[in-house]
């Protein structure tokens, strides 16, 4: 007799390929899509949906949330990288010393 865990596993296996396709359509990146689909399936294992008959919709919603989280994370990472990549607009020490010498001369 199949257990609840076996039934959930079978259901997740049936939905896995459609989740990957949805993720690829949303992300346009096969590797990121596989990661996001896997994260959505993992969420189903950790937080089982209340109604098993609505598993497909629950997985799709979870996948969309995972995509949003990935995009948000990417935006934050890019912002951090750009902040670190832009040089600080502080004058060089030699420029500061030259300016002081000129001010003294005036």
């Amino acid at each position: 007799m199949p257990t609840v865990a076996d039934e959930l596993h079978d259901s997740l296996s049936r939905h896995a390929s459609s989740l990957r396709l949805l993720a690829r359509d949303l992300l346009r990146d096969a590797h990121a899509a596989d990661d996001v689909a896997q994260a959505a399936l993992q969420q189903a294992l950790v937080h089982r949906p209340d109604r098993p008959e609505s598993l497909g919709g629950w997985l799709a919603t979870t996948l969309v949330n995972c995509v949003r989280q990935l995009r948000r994370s990417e935006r934050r990472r890019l912002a951090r990288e750009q902040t670190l990549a832009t040089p600080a607009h502080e004058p060089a020490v030699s420029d500061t010393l030259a300016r002081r010498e000129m001010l003294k001369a005036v």
Side-chain angles (χ1 to χ4, degrees):
M1 176 171 238
T3 64
V4 174
D6 291 337
E7 290 175 11
L8 180 62
H9 182 268
D10 291 342
S11 294
L12 292 177
S13 295
R14 285 193 304 273
H15 290 288
S17 61
S18 61
L19 276 179
R20 285 188 187 94
L21 290 174
L22 176 59
R24 286 180 185 166
D25 285 347
L26 292 172
L27 292 171
R28 308 276 187 227
D29 177 353
H31 298 292
D34 287 341
D35 291 343
V36 168
Q38 185 177 7
L41 291 168
Q42 181 183 12
Q43 286 294 317
L45 291 172
V46 174
H47 307 285
R48 293 183 183 168
D50 294 334
R51 297 185 341 233
E53 65 274 2
S54 65
L55 181 63
W58 187 91
L59 284 169
T61 301
T62 302
L63 180 94
V64 169
N65 289 337
C66 289
V67 167
R68 285 182 184 140
Q69 188 175 23
L70 175 71
R71 287 181 176 159
R72 187 172 38 244
S73 174
E74 282 294 310
R75 281 193 307 268
R76 289 176 179 166
R77 182 185 59 79
L78 287 172
R80 282 191 307 270
E81 288 176 358
Q82 288 174 351
T83 300
L84 294 174
T86 46
H89 294 291
E90 296 178 18
V93 174
S94 59
D95 292 341
T96 303
L97 292 175
R99 182 174 166 80
R100 283 185 185 169
E101 291 298 319
M102 183 182 70
L103 290 173
K104 283 182 186 178
V106 174

